[in-house]
Amino acid sequence: MKRLQNLFLALTLAALTACQVEAPAPMSVTPLPRQIEWHKMEQYAFVHFTINTFTDKEWGYGDESPELFNPTDFDADALVKVVKDANLKGLILTAKHHDGFCLWPSKYTEHSIKNSPYKDGKGDIVGEVAEACRRQGVKFGIYLSPWDRNHAGYGTDAYLEYYRNQVRELLTAYGPVFEMWFDGANGGNGYYGGANEVRKVESGYLYYDWPKVIDIIRELSPETVVWSSSLPEARWCSNESGIIAEHCWAMASPEELYPNGRDSMPALRHGQEHGTRWAPAEADVSIRSGWFYHENQEPKTPEQLFSIYLTSVGRGGTLLLNLAPDRRGRVPEKDIASLMEWRKMVDQTFSNDLAANAEFSATSSRGCGFGAKSMKGEDNAFWATEDGVTTGDVMLKWSEPVEVKYVMIQEHIALGQRVREFSVDVNVGNEWQQVAKGTTVGYKRILPLEEAVSTDEIRVRFLDARGPLTIDRIAAY
Ligand code: FUL
């Protein structure tokens, strides 16, 4: 008995010692905890709703009467329910668009909902939506247009004070918010308190002195991810079509994203391997061609939305999908139908991970706890190679052939983004065929195969990386 006990003790000790393998050191740029939470949301809604909805415009001039804002059937809970049913994890609302009309009763201006017929001036769309989001477990975010075509002081210090006051007012009353969206459209003609002129602000974004605004956010809502054109914690993916580039780093350097305060499209599109911040790409796209509701436009089809899902969530960033309530304040029925069908397609395609029944192996691993099996399923474990090993193959083997149309790869981004090149191969009739290849992976990469293949073995070859490989998951659908 005693010998058996000793043996058991020895085995346990051996196992413990063997398991004392440390994870690879993090890369120099890694996401903040709030950015990891943001990545995990994957998809959330934008809601463009304001006076433009009633004037049939995309950009209001700034002289519109607040009397025009009069939704006849607005119900914040119904709006949030659409978002929730579509499995969108958050909602970013246009609290103020370029025309300057405020959807909350701001104490800093009369150009707001308090002078509209909506609920006899007692309504507060921002507050109502924020509360409905909290009730239904959807995260709330705010779009506050920096460009304001209504404000008399736009272009001067007076407006900057007004703007910062509003950021403070919103975050105090409606925070915490998961994301603040500071649009890049800037300066031009407008009403400007009656001046009716063209106002250009200093070199794009520099006028706003973003660090001062960001200080207010950090003070009042520390968990907010800032989408801005200065010190971004999430960046524009460079287009409004829902397409993140295939080659896309989550890292970027602000001075290269915004040289002289202006957008650099290549830097926004691809990020930078040696960028100094974690500033991942977000794909903003509208369900219709406009951001605001226009009667003559149609929603995208479920198939189009599915394709957008693949080029956004499937390329390491997030999807910010815009809904445009109509003059009732309701998301149009046909848009809801398209959304729900899209959700069904995503669920059906990605609910059954074939890799759950596969045998995982790898050409090498760091050892205990970091073995190939760690890439199976959703958990915190990840596969890692030894220091100095930046390539490796992962094999998934089934006892019976499976039909595969999509391969999904996730890096363990908490330690940084590393993969520079990879190939996906399938074994058909004892021959390896390359069915997909790529450069970057990041939080999540979905590789659609040209056509479904029947195979009992898949191999993912990591051909180059910036450091030891750290792969969270490989799945097949
Ligand atoms: C753009 C704006 O000008 C559009 O109106 C819209 O809000 C879009 C999301 O961002 O820059």
Side-chain angles (χ1 to χ4, degrees), residues 78-131:
L79 171 66
V80 175
K81 185 170 183 306
V82 171
V83 169
K84 184 156 175 123
D85 288 350
N87 201 20
L88 297 164
K89 306 291 189 194
L91 185 167
I92 300 178
L93 175 69
T94 50
K96 179 183 87 165
H97 203 250
H98 309 329
D99 55 82
F101 180 75
C102 299
L103 286 187
W104 79 105
S106 173
K107 71 173 180 206
Y108 299 103
T109 180
E110 289 305 304
H111 196 56
S112 89
I113 195 160
K114 69 186 169 202
N115 290 314
S116 81
Y118 177 63
K119 293 192 175 171
D120 291 328
K122 302 278 181 305
D124 174 359
I125 299 275
V126 178
E128 290 162 35
V129 173
E131 271 171 38

Side-chain angles (χ1 to χ4, degrees), residues 32-220:
L32 298 162
R34 62 174 173 271
Q35 292 173 309
I36 295 181
E37 291 311 306
W38 175 93
H39 275 286
K40 287 187 187 156
M41 291 174 74
E42 296 192 356
Q43 44 186 5
Y44 36 89
F46 226 171
V47 173
H48 274 66
F49 184 50
T50 193
I51 222 137
N52 293 342
T53 311
F54 301 86
T55 54
D56 208 15
K57 286 196 179 148
E58 280 289 305
W59 283 8
Y61 186 73
D63 63 346
E64 297 80 7
S65 161
E67 298 269 327
L68 293 169
F69 185 80
N70 191 17
T72 50
D73 193 20
F74 182 77
D75 175 351
D77 273 302
L79 171 66
V80 175
K81 185 170 183 306
V82 171
V83 169
K84 184 156 175 123
D85 288 350
N87 201 20
L88 297 164
K89 306 291 189 194
L91 185 167
I92 300 178
L93 175 69
T94 50
K96 179 183 87 165
H97 203 250
H98 309 329
D99 55 82
F101 180 75
C102 299
L103 286 187
W104 79 105
S106 173
K107 71 173 180 206
Y108 299 103
T109 180
E110 289 305 304
H111 196 56
S112 89
I113 195 160
K114 69 186 169 202
N115 290 314
S116 81
Y118 177 63
K119 293 192 175 171
D120 291 328
K122 302 278 181 305
D124 174 359
I125 299 275
V126 178
E128 290 162 35
V129 173
E131 271 171 38
C133 280
R134 259 157 225 141
R135 268 196 296 277
Q136 297 189 44
V138 167
K139 292 189 183 178
F140 181 61
I142 293 177
Y143 172 117
L144 187 71
S145 170
W147 183 24
D148 189 321
R149 301 171 98 184
N150 174 264
H151 199 275
Y154 183 77
T156 71
D157 284 353
Y159 175 72
L160 295 182
E161 196 186 323
Y162 169 79
Y163 189 74
R164 289 174 201 153
N165 280 337
Q166 290 201 321
V167 171
R168 196 171 274 288
E169 186 179 43
L170 284 165
L171 290 176
T172 306
Y174 312 113
V177 305
F178 83 95
E179 180 168 333
M180 285 291 275
W181 220 87
F182 298 116
D183 187 73
N186 249 299
N189 64 341
Y191 173 69
Y192 305 123
N196 293 307
E197 60 188 13
V198 175
R199 289 195 185 165
K200 290 243 183 291
V201 295
E202 183 206 347
S203 185
Y205 312 127
L206 300 181
Y207 164 59
Y208 300 104
D209 197 354
W210 287 112
K212 294 221 169 64
V213 178
I214 291 168
D215 280 349
I216 302 173
I217 299 171
R218 293 282 79 93
E219 176 199 328
L220 297 173

Side-chain angles (χ1 to χ4, degrees), residues 421-454:
E421 192 186 352
F422 67 93
S423 168
V424 179
D425 313 327
V426 295
N427 191 340
V428 180
N430 259 339
E431 287 212 6
W432 286 109
Q433 290 175 7
Q434 184 180 61
V435 285
K437 62 178 179 161
T439 54
T440 52
V441 173
Y443 171 73
K444 182 179 258 192
R445 188 73 201 267
I446 302 175
L447 289 310
L449 311 190
E450 222 158 87
E451 50 191 55
V453 285
S454 173

Side-chain angles (χ1 to χ4, degrees), residues 236-245 265 269 282-285:
W236 190 36
C237 75
S238 85
N239 62 71
E240 294 179 338
S241 318
I243 302 175
I244 291 177
M265 292 302 172
R269 193 169 305 131
E282 178 189 78
D284 61 322
V285 58

Side-chain angles (χ1 to χ4, degrees), residues 289-346:
S289 48
W291 293 99
F292 289 93
Y293 174 78
H294 307 287
E295 211 184 334
N296 58 358
Q297 295 179 353
E298 291 296 318
K300 293 187 169 59
T301 63
E303 291 74 19
Q304 286 171 318
L305 294 176
F306 186 77
S307 158
I308 284 173
Y309 174 84
L310 294 177
T311 56
S312 55
V313 177
R315 292 195 180 160
T318 59
L319 167 61
L320 173 55
L321 178 60
N322 183 62
L323 306 179
D326 58 19
R327 292 181 187 176
R328 296 170 303 168
R330 297 278 175 160
V331 180
E333 286 70 10
K334 48 187 168 184
D335 300 46
I336 298 179
S338 209
L339 262 182
M340 298 311 152
E341 204 44 49
W342 164 67
R343 175 183 176 175
K344 232 196 271 162
M345 283 173 79
V346 173

Side-chain angles (χ1 to χ4, degrees), residues 209-269:
D209 197 354
W210 287 112
K212 294 221 169 64
V213 178
I214 291 168
D215 280 349
I216 302 173
I217 299 171
R218 293 282 79 93
E219 176 199 328
L220 297 173
S221 182
E223 292 315 310
T224 299
V225 166
V226 178
W227 188 102
S228 85
S229 304
S230 152
L231 295 168
E233 292 170 349
R235 70 172 197 267
W236 190 36
C237 75
S238 85
N239 62 71
E240 294 179 338
S241 318
I243 302 175
I244 291 177
E246 287 194 63
H247 178 74
C248 184
W249 294 103
M251 301 81 77
S253 302
E255 60 286 3
E256 293 185 46
L257 288 177
Y258 314 111
N260 304 315
R262 307 228 171 258
D263 284 344
S264 155
M265 292 302 172
L268 286 165
R269 193 169 305 131

